[in-house]
Amino acid sequence: MTRKISTKLYLSIVATGLMAFCGVLIETAMNVTFPTLMTQFNVDTATIQWLTTGYLLVVSIIVPISGVLKRRFTTMQLFLTASAFFIVGLLICTLANRFDVLLIGRIIQGLGTGIALPLMFNIILEQAPLDKIGLLMGIGTLVTAIAPALGPTYGGLLIGLNWHAIFGILLAIMVIALFLGIFSITQVSKTVKVRLDFPSWIAIAIFFAGAILGLNNIEASLTTASIYGLIGIIGLIGFIVRSKHIDDPIIRLNVFKNKSFDLHVVSFVVFQIMNVGVAFVLPNYLQIVAHTSSLTAGLLLLPGAALGAILAPVSGTIYDRLGPTKPITIALVFQTMGLIVLLVEALSASPVSQLIGYILMMLGTGFGMSTIITNGLAQIPKAENVDGNAVFNTLQQFAGAFGTAVISMVVALAQVKTDYFHTTAVGAQHAFIVLMVLEVVNIICIFTGLHFDKSRNQDQDASN
């Protein structure tokens, strides 16, 4: 029997979705402001980068404990806490006239985003009718998949007016989200007094700090990056060992015993690297190689982002009716076609060809990402969905940092100051080659995962 989606559920998804959207949007919107902020605060590139690095680090540390927070506190308590952090952080940044104050505001925003991102998906997984999960997960994924692409456009539009407005407008949106959430969020499950294992949390914080700092230092110093990477690996090993020896781990690692789930996770990570990689390359390519303004570069990315946003709920509906294979296949076809266009036309300096390639890439994102998350979570028991959701949201943040670092390094290695325009185009072409290799990996992983899914369903039907 088909169940209708209640108005309160829709509004609660909108409220938490707006908060998550603002959190993800600001990640890439900040990149456009760096030249202006470096001049205003008289700081170098390595220092200004902490506005993004510090933010991502805080988000990455908070998201993994979302499962513990979900079991320990009510949805309303988490929503109000996330809203408070985000609104205070935005207010500080809106009024900031010193770099250290701006950085404090960004870190406080990271606390809010870290709570908000998994909260939206947990509401959907817990309260949505089974035959509508695909649709609502599509709407939810729309937020986290499209916001990074809209960030450069949003930042480019406002940086010419006043960079404070980037935070001020989001502050107004957050106030609207707060009121919507207060009147719509409901509690459907009982809270449990679970204990947060601080040694595990410290270990996972060390892992993400080491990994993100290592990635950010690859270009500057390979030795420094290696040291940070080693520290991160030690933190990860400590987290895994600790999680296997306690009753209530931060994330129940037995979710990784399901091969199909693991392959869906790998595919999702590749999709995210594709998104942030292309979103990094194209604004720089369009400005340096095609000689467009920052505003024009941002606007050229807008059609692709908009189409991807529109298609995310559509792919969810297709999933609800026909299953995962068709929307995922469509996604991979569009994504591969887009990469081919970008790769073949990389040396042409044509904004039109880059626009077409990006639109095709975002069509792939619109059809694929929500379906992969939804079907990946369908591979594990419903009781483990909170842990699975934490895995997807945590790795999305890490994949964003990893993808940006790797793709920026690939482009930088090709650039030569004496022929900056042409070598930037060559660097972009190299980046698209790397992404094409990842696309082949993605195709192998997801279709293998779908095969395991199909085999499992056949075994269940036979046993019944």
Side-chain angles (χ1 to χ4, degrees):
M1 183 177 67
T2 301
R3 287 171 53 200
K4 291 184 177 180
I5 303 172
S6 68
T7 303
K8 277 195 169 185
L9 177 56
Y10 266 129
L11 290 177
S12 65
I13 294 172
V14 170
T16 53
L18 281 174
M19 184 159 44
F21 177 83
C22 291
V24 178
L25 177 78
I26 201 72
E27 288 181 24
T28 51
M30 285 302 296
N31 294 337
V32 183
T33 69
F34 284 172
T36 300
L37 296 178
M38 287 168 63
T39 301
Q40 178 168 339
F41 297 125
N42 193 27
V43 295
D44 58 19
T45 302
T47 302
I48 204 71
Q49 186 64 36
W50 272 100
L51 293 175
T52 296
T53 302
Y55 176 84
L56 283 174
L57 187 56
V58 172
V59 173
S60 297
I61 292 171
I62 296 296
V63 169
I65 65 170
S66 60
V68 174
L69 297 178
K70 168 69 174 59
R71 299 182 185 98
R72 180 67 179 82
F73 301 101
T74 66
T75 305
M76 182 63 79
Q77 287 173 331
L78 293 175
F79 175 76
L80 292 176
T81 302
S83 298
F85 277 131
F86 210 105
I87 288 173
V88 170
L90 286 173
L91 185 61
I92 291 172
C93 290
T94 302
L95 302 175
N97 283 310
R98 285 169 39 193
F99 175 77
D100 55 348
V101 175
L102 183 62
L103 180 59
I104 290 171
R106 292 289 291 145
I107 290 172
I108 294 174
Q109 288 170 41
L111 293 171
T113 302
I115 298 172
L117 273 175
L119 185 62
M120 172 182 60
F121 289 109
N122 282 332
I123 288 174
I124 295 171
L125 292 168
E126 188 176 51
Q127 301 182 29
L130 286 176
D131 60 337
K132 294 292 190 297
I133 282 183
L135 169 64
L136 294 179
M137 287 294 285
I139 294 173
T141 308
L142 176 158
V143 168
T144 56
I146 305 305
L150 288 175
T153 304
Y154 175 74
L157 287 170
L158 294 176
I159 190 63
L161 300 175
N162 188 322
W163 63 264
H164 291 91
I166 293 174
F167 301 100
I169 291 175
L170 295 187
L171 184 61
I173 295 174
M174 277 304 306
V175 172
I176 295 171
L178 176 61
F179 281 104
L180 286 176
I182 288 173
F183 291 106
S184 65
I185 289 177
T186 57
Q187 187 70 20
V188 298
S189 60
K190 293 182 179 180
T191 57
V192 181
K193 290 187 177 181
V194 294
R195 182 178 63 88
L196 175 61
D197 185 62
F198 280 98
S200 297
W201 195 18
I202 291 171
I204 206 166
I206 291 172
F207 165 61
F208 280 112
I212 290 176
L213 292 174
L215 290 170
N216 282 352
N217 280 277
I218 286 177
E219 289 184 51
S221 171
L222 193 57
T223 302
T224 303
S226 299
I227 293 172
Y228 279 126
L230 180 60
I231 292 172
I233 291 171
I234 293 171
L236 178 61
I237 293 172
F239 171 72
I240 293 172
V241 172
R242 176 70 180 173
S243 297
K244 289 183 176 180
H245 290 85
I246 57 177
D247 295 329
D248 293 309
I250 289 177
I251 297 176
R252 294 185 177 94
L253 298 180
N254 57 338
V255 296
F256 291 108
K257 292 181 179 179
N258 186 297
K259 292 180 180 179
S260 182
F261 173 80
D262 295 345
L263 291 168
H264 279 74
V265 169
V266 172
S267 178
F268 177 77
V269 167
V270 173
F271 258 99
Q272 179 66 357
I273 291 174
M274 295 278 188
N275 283 342
V276 299
V278 174
F280 172 83
V281 171
L282 289 185
N284 290 284
Y285 177 95
L286 290 168
Q287 292 177 73
I288 297 171
V289 181
H291 306 295
T292 67
S293 66
S294 58
L295 176 58
T296 301
L299 290 174
L300 284 170
L301 299 182
L302 190 58
L307 286 172
I310 293 169
L311 285 175
V314 174
S315 71
T317 303
I318 296 173
Y319 173 85
D320 289 330
R321 294 179 180 177
L322 303 175
T325 303
K326 287 189 176 180
I328 287 175
T329 301
I330 294 170
L332 293 173
V333 169
F334 275 127
Q335 195 171 65
T336 303
M337 289 170 58
L339 274 174
I340 291 172
V341 172
L342 293 174
L343 177 58
V344 171
E345 295 291 321
L347 302 181
S348 70
S350 167
V352 175
S353 62
Q354 304 306 306
L355 169 65
I356 294 171
Y358 187 66
I359 288 175
L360 291 170
M361 287 283 295
M362 294 310 294
L363 289 175
T365 295
F367 272 108
M369 286 194 74
S370 65
T371 306
I372 289 170
I373 295 177
T374 308
N375 201 57
L377 293 174
Q379 309 308 307
I380 57 179
K382 191 173 180 62
E384 296 178 358
N385 272 353
V386 171
D387 299 286
N389 183 37
V391 168
F392 275 110
N393 281 282
T394 300
L395 290 179
Q396 182 177 31
Q397 299 306 307
F398 179 73
F402 178 80
T404 301
V406 170
I407 297 302
S408 64
M409 181 180 66
V410 170
V411 175
L413 287 173
Q415 289 175 322
V416 178
K417 289 184 178 180
T418 55
D419 191 7
Y420 196 59
F421 301 135
H422 176 70
T423 55
T424 298
V426 172
Q429 188 179 56
H430 291 172
F432 297 140
I433 291 172
V434 171
L435 295 179
M436 184 62 77
V437 172
L438 286 175
E439 180 74 346
V440 174
V441 173
N442 191 12
I443 291 170
I444 294 171
C445 285
I446 193 59
F447 281 111
T448 304
L450 291 174
H451 172 73
F452 282 134
D453 180 16
K454 185 178 179 180
S455 299
R456 187 199 63 174
N457 290 335
Q458 287 174 346
D459 291 340
Q460 288 178 346
D461 292 340
S463 63
N464 292 332

